[in-house]
Amino acid sequence: GDVVTVETVGFSGTAAATQRAILLAETYYDQKKYDDGLAVLKEASTSGDAKPFAPSVAAMTASGLAQQGKYKNAAEEYMHAASITKYPTERSMYKADAARAYGTFAERFPRDARAGAAQQARIALLQATGDSTTANAELAQVCKRPTPEFKATCADRLGEQEFRAGA
């Protein structure tokens, strides 16, 4: 069928139109029509009266990308949402979503040249959101067989552990 866009309704650029786009995208996602949902969100206004909904548009875009298996792009979009929200709790939530997306990318595509950077971003986001237990556990796992991105971090970690042990 035809994709319904905000323009076809005649009130584009308004906060109500952006809210409608978010709900319509969610409906498309529920029907596994991710491209249609992303198309609606791309047309949604995120400025003027609709500016308060910009983080939600970015997060819904990230969700659609993740559901398509585009985890790295989803993580970047979640980080965009985190950077534009004015609410600290929402910012932490979007950063956690980004960390999950980066982690999924690194797990699913371990041989991809960007996997190490994605894993680094995930660990940094876990640390930034206060989840040091998970971050330390993942870092310990990575340091068993460090990739080039982690060699310095793992060496620093080992030196710190030996220092604490009195070596």
Side-chain angles (χ1 to χ4, degrees), residues 10-156:
F11 57 109
S12 68
T14 65
T18 299
Q19 286 177 297
R20 179 188 174 283
I22 292 167
L23 292 172
L24 184 57
E26 193 172 337
T27 301
Y28 280 133
Y29 291 173
D30 289 344
Q31 298 169 3
K32 310 276 187 256
K33 297 179 180 179
Y34 307 115
D35 287 333
D36 292 347
L38 290 167
V40 169
L41 291 169
K42 187 174 182 171
E43 297 297 320
S45 177
T46 55
S47 60
D49 289 345
K51 188 174 182 176
F53 299 101
S56 295
V57 169
M60 282 296 294
T61 299
S63 176
L65 291 167
Q67 291 179 69
Q68 288 183 319
K70 298 175 181 174
Y71 300 105
K72 186 166 186 317
N73 301 79
E76 291 165 354
E77 198 63 34
Y78 279 126
M79 288 304 295
H80 174 65
S83 74
I84 60 176
T85 185
K86 63 182 182 177
Y87 303 108
T89 303
E90 197 171 74
R91 184 174 304 110
S92 294
M93 183 181 69
Y94 292 147
K95 285 182 177 182
D97 290 337
R100 274 190 293 283
Y102 277 127
T104 302
F105 175 81
E107 283 174 21
R108 296 239 172 123
F109 307 103
R111 289 186 172 82
D112 188 295
R114 300 166 296 174
Q119 189 65 27
Q120 270 187 317
R122 174 176 166 72
I123 290 171
L125 285 168
L126 287 168
Q127 291 168 333
T129 57
D131 192 352
S132 58
T133 303
T134 304
N136 287 336
E138 289 200 19
L139 190 55
Q141 190 66 33
V142 167
C143 287
K144 288 178 182 176
R145 300 180 84 195
T147 59
E149 296 89 354
F150 282 98
K151 286 198 187 291
T153 303
C154 293
D156 290 347

